[in-house]
Amino acid sequence: MNQADIDSFREILRKMRQDILEQGEDTLEDMTGEREMYADPADRASAESDRAFTLRLRDRDRKLIKKIDEALERIEDGTYGECEDCGEDISKPRLKARPVTTLCIKCKSRQEQQEALHGD
Ligand SMILES: [Zn+2]
């Protein structure tokens, strides 16, 4: 991967991170703004489950941000784009589709097959 590729992936990752954080702020505003609107207990219950859903999403976002941070560290280390399993280069189309990936497509499919075998 050349320097221009590295720079463009760094930009993609920073943009992803920023988008998630901005969405997170919107979510927080929604959550505080809705509190007074539901006088009816049934409405309130559905608002509560919406909130649980939002919190789950945010948990997923937090995990994604961690992955993005790790990818940015790999960019600084010069190891970005290497498969952490076999050490080969991850293809650029794969990185573009999933910039936080740490596995090449071969290792990823092997991992998915193993997960399918073990259930879960
Ligand atoms: Zn691999």
Side-chain angles (χ1 to χ4, degrees):
M1 211 182 303
N2 62 34
Q3 190 59 43
D5 291 328
I6 295 282
D7 287 345
S8 92
F9 281 116
R10 188 192 282 118
E11 276 312 299
I12 290 169
L13 287 159
R14 282 187 179 156
K15 181 81 170 60
M16 277 174 74
R17 195 180 195 286
Q18 196 183 342
D19 285 351
I20 294 169
L21 290 176
E22 280 169 9
Q23 276 168 17
E25 279 166 21
D26 290 348
T27 307
L28 274 182
E29 280 170 26
D30 289 348
M31 284 167 68
T32 50
E34 79 189 2
R35 198 165 295 156
E36 312 299 321
M37 285 155 39
Y38 300 100
D40 182 72
D43 284 351
R44 200 181 300 135
S46 86
E48 292 296 334
S49 68
D50 283 352
R51 190 168 301 146
F53 180 68
T54 310
L55 288 174
R56 264 206 308 280
L57 275 183
R58 298 198 68 222
D59 186 49
R60 202 186 61 181
D61 285 347
R62 271 197 297 273
K63 284 178 186 156
L64 186 53
I65 283 186
K66 187 163 177 287
K67 286 183 177 178
I68 292 170
D69 285 344
E70 286 165 358
L72 284 165
E73 278 173 28
R74 289 196 299 278
I75 283 182
E76 300 314 316
D77 289 350
T79 59
Y80 183 74
E82 285 173 18
C83 174
E84 68 175 9
D85 206 353
C86 69
E88 283 182 29
D89 286 348
I90 302 169
S91 73
K92 265 186 249 174
R94 172 160 169 73
L95 283 172
K96 283 204 170 105
R98 192 160 167 71
V100 297
T101 192
T102 57
L103 294 172
C104 73
I105 192 69
K106 272 187 291 183
C107 294
K108 183 64 187 171
S109 353
R110 197 173 59 225
Q111 188 191 60
E112 275 170 4
Q113 276 165 9
Q114 279 165 357
E115 278 168 10
L117 285 175
H118 294 301
D120 196 17

